[in-house]
Amino acid sequence: ERVFREIARARPQKLFVVADGPRPDSPDDVEKCVRTRAVVEQVDWECEVLTNYAETNLGCGVRPASGIDWVFEQCEEAIILEDDCLPHPTFFRFCAELLDRYRHDERVMMISGDNFQFGRQSTPYSYYYSRHNHVWGWATWRRAWQHFDIEMKRWPELRDTGWLLNLWGDALVAEKWRAIFDKTYPGLDDIWDYQWAFAWWSQHGLAILPEVNLISNIGFGPDASHTKKEAAWTNLPVEAMRFPLRHPPCMVPDVVADRFTNGQVFKQPPRSFYQRLRRRLAASVWSPSRRQGADRLSKDTFS
């Protein structure tokens, strides 16, 4: 209801509603599904409403993925919100303007409303380019979504090519994502966003992230499917996007901002940690007490 109220304020001319069915082991789900779908009946403005309701539970992977497939069978671009992603009112205009600006620019694969910089000012512009695919409120085009494959059939072909290292420019981050994709590839029922990352990374695409946070995820709690424990990004405050938008002059990913997100969200230690570790290791090996054994080592070991 809270998310729908913000959608109602935006008054879209067309609204696609995708809903999963009740879980067989959760008797309360039947009533909850009925009550949730009833929210959409509150549309009181001129709007074409199309619904895609599953009778049985498809899960948190197949249902969103199949629902987005259904949307892009009927339209060229869409703004996408899950039920617990509460947008700031300016989120819709932000997405709409950038959907129009980058409609035919295949370098940009998605627009997100999420900012996980926790107050750090990344650029003087309204948004920055990123490799991260934050999907708590986002937008994309059919031309980008066409690359999505929930089975990730191309993963074995790309796995050992150095593609991820080339994409991120960081062996540690590349190895982390290779491990994630190795686990995702066999087919997990409740995941779709890792496959989406794989899809547009395989095209060397970019995401647009706002300089201020436009989405607050209100779905953390014991009743959640995944986000049961609070985290630093639980119920993040939102801010208004200022218009007219200030567009970055160069289309390159913000490496500093992405590195910060790697550490804060994906728990990747900062590069300085590994640099210090490497120096300590080198100093230990080349200390006088280890001189005899070190004489057998080439300095190229640490190049």
Side-chain angles (χ1 to χ4, degrees):
E1 287 178 333
R2 292 175 63 186
V3 173
F4 179 80
R5 281 199 295 268
E6 295 303 326
I7 294 173
R9 291 177 64 180
R11 302 176 71 85
Q13 295 180 349
K14 182 174 289 189
L15 183 63
F16 296 89
V17 186
V18 178
D20 208 350
R23 294 166 293 184
D25 56 347
S26 299
D28 294 343
D29 275 10
V30 174
E31 180 188 356
K32 289 179 179 179
C33 286
V34 171
R35 290 171 55 196
T36 301
R37 297 174 187 186
V39 171
V40 184
E41 297 174 6
Q42 301 173 28
V43 172
D44 60 359
W45 68 95
E46 187 174 343
C47 177
E48 181 184 1
V49 179
L50 297 92
T51 59
N52 186 311
Y53 295 159
E55 295 302 320
T56 59
N57 188 266
L58 302 178
C60 297
V62 172
R63 176 69 290 201
S66 62
I68 299 172
D69 284 343
W70 169 72
V71 169
F72 285 119
E73 290 171 0
Q74 303 170 77
C75 67
E76 294 288 339
E77 57 195 41
I79 298 171
I80 303 166
L81 283 166
E82 293 194 27
D83 61 321
D84 55 4
C85 298
L86 187 65
H88 188 278
T90 56
F91 163 75
F92 297 98
R93 179 179 173 185
F94 175 74
C95 289
E97 290 193 9
L98 294 180
L99 281 171
D100 179 65
R101 181 179 179 90
Y102 293 98
R103 182 169 294 135
H104 305 296
D105 191 332
E106 296 193 0
R107 293 172 295 180
V108 178
M109 302 291 275
M110 64 171 289
I111 302 156
S112 176
D114 300 303
N115 179 292
F116 295 144
Q117 297 296 304
F118 301 103
R120 293 172 71 257
Q121 198 72 19
S122 178
T123 75
Y125 308 108
S126 300
Y127 57 91
Y128 64 94
Y129 303 103
S130 173
R131 296 294 187 194
H132 287 296
N133 71 319
H134 304 316
V135 290
W136 289 351
W138 59 295
T140 192
W141 305 263
R142 176 191 291 171
R143 63 159 175 82
W145 187 256
Q146 69 176 331
H147 299 289
F148 178 82
D149 172 19
I150 198 168
E151 297 178 356
M152 288 177 56
K153 289 188 287 289
R154 293 189 60 200
W155 173 236
E157 177 185 350
L158 290 174
R159 184 185 186 278
D160 299 317
T161 62
W163 155 67
L164 283 170
L165 178 60
N166 181 52
L167 183 80
W168 284 100
D170 187 317
L172 299 166
V173 176
E175 183 57 33
K176 182 179 182 71
W177 279 104
R178 186 165 79 160
I180 288 174
F181 290 152
D182 276 343
K183 292 180 179 178
T184 305
Y185 172 69
L188 300 179
D189 293 337
D190 63 347
I191 293 176
W192 68 272
D193 49 343
Y194 287 161
Q195 294 95 317
W196 172 228
F198 173 78
W200 63 272
W201 288 353
S202 70
Q203 304 301 310
H204 274 262
L206 292 170
I208 287 175
L209 303 185
E211 191 55 35
V212 296
N213 185 48
L214 298 172
I215 301 289
S216 182
N217 190 310
I218 59 175
F220 285 77
D223 293 335
S225 298
H226 299 108
T227 53
K228 295 182 181 295
K229 297 181 180 180
E230 291 194 2
W233 43 91
T234 301
N235 297 317
L236 279 180
V238 294
E239 300 179 46
M241 176 60 67
R242 297 175 62 183
F243 297 93
L245 294 177
R246 304 180 309 280
H247 303 284
C250 302
M251 190 175 287
V252 293
D254 189 324
V255 176
V256 175
D258 278 356
R259 189 175 297 156
F260 180 81
T261 300
N262 283 333
Q264 295 296 312
V265 178
F266 297 103
K267 305 303 180 185
Q268 183 73 46
R271 296 293 301 175
S272 58
F273 168 82
Y274 294 100
Q275 291 166 354
R276 291 195 301 271
L277 180 63
R278 184 180 177 187
R279 286 196 296 268
R280 287 200 299 270
L281 177 62
S284 174
V285 171
W286 289 99
S287 65
S289 63
R290 304 201 176 199
R291 179 69 62 189
Q292 184 175 359
D295 288 342
R296 296 194 298 270
L297 295 175
S298 166
K299 289 184 180 180
D300 289 341
T301 303
F302 303 101
S303 64

